[in-house]
Amino acid sequence: GGWLFPVFSQRRDRETQAYDGNLLWAFYGKDGNRAHSWMFPFYTYDNQGPIASALAPGAQPGTYGKSFWCLPFCWYENEVQVQRSSRPAAVKNTSPGQTASATNAVTAQRIRKNGCFPLWSYASAATVGSAQRETSARLLLLLYDYQRKVRAEPPPKTTGADSTRSRVLWRLWHYERTDADVRVDVFPAITYDRKGGDFKKATFLWRF
């Protein structure tokens, strides 16, 4: 490598072809499938390797994918986080003194985010191979926002396993759904409620 202080510096490993360096206060580097660069406070960029590697069998714990942030407050993220946790395994017909051995469970969570403040923002997190996920979105701050949560529950599902909320100007139009129950409020006078398939109610000015 080489350097010219304080303008730039760079070094490269001839065996691995990994390199890193800087140009003024901008820094960059690459090692295998992973790369990064940043210039404070203007932008940051990270590439943690292809997402296909995270979804392949036998993936190692860690973060895979890309993320980016820059002025004026724009961001992007498309990543998979792989985690390994140890949990006790159930042993049937155990003999006295026999204990259950622990098993390693691997979970992967797909994360997507993007936005440009204050125009819009979007975020979602989903467990790979499961119905569990969370999604949220916002348009022009309070103009419109949306949120949905789905929990992976074994049948029969518990209350609140699937819930959705969307609003316009916070209370100008407010919609909520929890499983089969629905509630809608339209400012300033209209409300609508539905619970399952047996109960419905619509009101104007509450009791008018």
Side-chain angles (χ1 to χ4, degrees), residues 60-129:
Q60 296 299 316
T63 301
Y64 302 79
K66 299 178 181 180
S67 63
F68 175 77
W69 178 92
C70 73
L71 292 177
F73 305 111
C74 298
W75 63 93
Y76 168 82
E77 186 174 334
N78 185 11
E79 295 181 336
V80 172
Q81 295 179 352
V82 180
Q83 298 178 343
R84 188 184 303 275
S85 59
S86 179
R87 62 182 63 177
V91 177
K92 297 181 179 179
N93 301 323
T94 57
S95 59
Q98 184 178 0
T99 59
S101 59
T103 60
N104 290 325
V106 178
T107 59
Q109 189 174 46
R110 184 70 178 266
I111 298 175
R112 292 185 174 95
K113 296 180 181 179
N114 61 74
C116 182
F117 183 84
L119 301 180
W120 87 88
S121 65
Y122 171 84
S124 70
T127 302
V128 178

